[in-house]
Amino acid sequence: MHDVKAIRDEPDAYRRAWASRGVKDAFATVDSILSADQRLRAAQTALQAAQSRRNDASKLIGAAKAAKDEARAAELMAEVEQLKAEMAAHFEAEGAAGSELRGLLAALPNLAAEDVPEGEDEHGNQEVRRWGEPFAIASPQDHVALGEGLGMMDFEAAAKMSGARFVILKKDLARLERALANFMLDLQTSENGYTEVSPPLLVRDEAVFGTGQLPKFSEDLFRTTDGRWLIPTAEVSLTNMVREAITAEEELPLRLTALTPCFRSEAGASGRDTRGMIRQHQFYKVELVSITTPEQSNDEHERMVGCAEAVLKRLELPFRTMLLCTGDMGFSAAKTYDLEVWMPSQGMYREISSCSNCGDFQARRMDARGRKAGEKGTRFLHTLNGSGLAVGRTLVAILENYQDEGGRIAVPQALHPYLRGLTHIGGA
């Protein structure tokens, strides 16, 4: 959500900022916001003036009756009735303008931070750093061929019960998925200071509005028959833990993590990554969320990226870190880093984590505020989120990077304690 006063004060800055984020007709949109805001304030002023005149007239009615001036009393009562009708009209105008203004503001993305590069799509992203060298694998197989060859990955059976974009993992691949999730949680909680949370998977409209999925991205979500939403990421549940509350700033930053299944309709991904586990309707992810003061959020963002990178380093998976441009960031983000892991079968890096600083954008939508000790005033918090990591994509990366010529998979050293010493999957 956005501060309409700030838009009123610097409309050109918002026009340029939203145009850089790919908002169509950004200039006309700002004009519509200013028009709705002007009509809202005019209606509020007129309503207050009518209320004041009605109150004054009501007091004079009593005085007129006390003086037995029935003609004056009748005149005043007629005026009160007229003012009531005016108030109803002003109230209706206020509601209409307010609804239009809220709708316009709710549909607009966050503004990009000053150090975010401008660009229309992923081609405008900037590489920040790389870690590790891509594995030298002659004729690498993709994860589907590897998993099916092991007899531990079944898309056909999953499709019979659930349709496309689902998978069944069996035997050691199911164990590997579980081991990965536990390893990620242990790393973030025991070494990086995150508090583990087991949150709801079903949330109400207000929660997904707060983190920015509603109203614009409802087609990307799954909805239940009673009007709740299946979470697309634990970001929704974790971030909303501070909604409609005042948090003591001395307690910040709050660092929260959760392993949950995530549910996405992938409505905007038709025809993309239809083979395998890269883009599924249901998958596990370890999410990282931080709640901070405005002064803490930039440093916390860099720290969060490091916490996500640590998972890939421990698993010894080559990756690169990318700073996303204005046209490739998510709706709620002010600044985003993507981690992209090397996929041998594709000969390219693929996204495995996004870490975003949302500034006060989500906090405004959730009315999440902070207060310093000894002060009366409050201010909006800053929220950050990141994947630490997507479990399915990490499993895919291990299969492809740790394969040998016979299709056997070596288990990364960091996972040995979680698999009771299992060093390889497949083979004798």
Side-chain angles (χ1 to χ4, degrees):
M1 212 65 166
H2 300 276
D3 182 358
V4 69
K5 183 180 183 301
I7 300 171
R8 194 187 307 143
D9 292 342
E10 296 186 87
D12 286 340
Y14 279 83
R15 290 184 178 104
R16 292 191 299 269
W18 278 322
S20 75
R21 297 263 356 227
V23 174
K24 294 181 179 179
D25 301 321
F27 281 56
T29 298
V30 171
D31 290 341
S32 296
I33 289 170
L34 295 176
S35 174
D37 175 53
Q38 185 178 35
R39 285 184 278 111
L40 173 62
R41 289 184 292 132
Q44 290 172 334
T45 299
L47 178 60
Q48 291 169 0
Q51 287 174 329
S52 178
R53 295 201 308 272
R54 181 202 61 183
N55 293 340
D56 290 343
S58 296
K59 293 177 182 178
L60 293 174
I61 290 172
K65 288 191 173 183
K68 296 184 178 180
D69 187 346
E70 295 300 328
R72 178 59 176 158
E75 180 182 334
L76 289 167
M77 286 189 286
E79 182 180 353
V80 166
E81 290 303 312
Q82 177 62 33
L83 287 168
K84 285 181 179 179
E86 288 184 22
M87 286 167 54
H90 296 321
F91 184 78
E92 184 177 350
E94 179 189 31
S99 179
E100 180 184 348
L101 181 60
R102 288 189 296 273
L104 288 166
L105 294 174
L108 289 163
N110 200 354
L111 302 189
E114 291 183 358
D115 56 346
V116 171
E118 287 201 21
E120 294 182 2
D121 52 32
E122 66 272 13
H123 298 99
N125 298 340
Q126 295 180 358
E127 183 173 323
V128 177
R129 54 186 168 267
R130 291 192 183 199
W131 186 92
E133 291 294 327
F135 289 66
I137 303 172
S139 303
Q141 299 185 71
D142 72 6
H143 68 281
V144 177
L146 290 165
E148 291 181 337
L150 292 167
M152 302 179 191
M153 186 180 290
D154 194 335
F155 293 95
E156 184 177 348
K160 288 177 181 177
M161 68 176 82
S162 302
R165 297 190 188 272
F166 290 91
V167 67
I168 293 171
L169 299 179
K170 297 180 286 189
K171 302 178 183 178
D172 284 343
L173 284 192
R175 291 180 63 200
L176 179 60
E177 180 183 51
R178 177 161 48 93
L180 274 169
N182 287 332
F183 160 70
M184 293 175 187
L185 280 176
D186 287 348
L187 175 61
Q188 304 304 347
T189 56
S190 64
E191 297 187 29
N192 293 332
Y194 285 86
T195 298
E196 185 174 352
V197 177
S198 180
L201 305 181
L202 291 168
V203 295
R204 301 190 300 185
D205 289 1
E206 304 93 297
V208 276
F209 176 85
T211 45
Q213 286 81 14
L214 288 185
K216 193 170 184 179
F217 303 102
S218 60
E219 290 186 356
D220 294 329
L221 307 176
F222 288 110
R223 196 173 196 184
T224 62
T225 54
D226 67 353
R228 291 181 175 87
W229 302 89
L230 289 165
I231 60 169
T233 164
E235 169 202 346
V236 176
S237 304
L238 297 179
T239 309
N240 274 277
M241 286 173 63
V242 294
R243 72 170 294 111
E244 298 175 8
I246 298 174
T247 303
E249 292 193 3
E250 291 72 30
E251 298 175 2
L252 303 177
L254 296 177
R255 297 183 178 120
L256 310 171
T257 186
L259 166 68
T260 66
C262 304
F263 305 92
R264 300 184 184 180
S265 71
E266 297 293 351
S270 178
R272 296 170 57 196
D273 296 310
T274 55
R275 176 177 169 83
M277 293 178 59
I278 296 294
R279 198 175 296 277
Q280 298 222 291
H281 290 312
Q282 173 188 315
F283 59 94
Y284 286 101
K285 181 156 66 80
V286 172
E287 185 73 0
L288 307 175
V289 162
S290 292
I291 311 296
T292 77
T293 66
E295 295 80 11
Q296 296 168 332
S297 67
N298 287 335
D299 288 343
E300 184 69 14
H301 192 199
E302 300 297 326
R303 182 186 189 277
M304 177 179 283
V305 174
C307 292
E309 290 177 337
V311 179
L312 293 170
K313 291 178 179 179
R314 295 286 181 89
L315 296 173
E316 300 180 77
L317 290 169
F319 69 93
R320 66 180 184 178
T321 302
M322 306 291 291
L323 174 61
L324 301 195
C325 68
T326 54
D328 200 34
M329 290 195 302
F331 181 81
S332 297
K335 183 178 180 180
T336 298
Y337 292 102
D338 269 8
L339 307 187
E340 297 180 349
V341 68
W342 179 254
M343 293 295 188
S345 71
Q346 300 180 26
M348 62 187 297
Y349 291 92
R350 294 298 306 269
E351 179 203 335
I352 197 167
S353 171
S354 283
C355 296
S356 298
N357 186 350
C358 299
D360 65 2
F361 181 80
Q362 293 177 327
R364 287 179 177 277
R365 297 169 77 98
M366 298 185 301
D367 193 21
R369 298 171 181 266
R371 177 188 286 138
K372 291 182 179 179
E375 295 187 3
K376 292 183 178 180
T378 63
R379 55 181 180 165
F380 289 110
L381 300 171
H382 279 204
T383 63
L384 304 93
N385 64 82
S387 304
L389 306 165
V391 178
R393 291 195 180 192
T394 309
L395 184 144
V396 167
I398 289 173
L399 291 179
E400 295 205 3
N401 283 282
Y402 281 88
Q403 63 180 293
D404 63 22
E405 292 182 2
R408 192 173 67 151
I409 312 299
V411 175
Q413 185 71 34
L415 299 179
H416 287 188
Y418 295 88
L419 290 166
R420 298 182 181 179
L422 181 70
T423 60
H424 290 81
I425 295 175

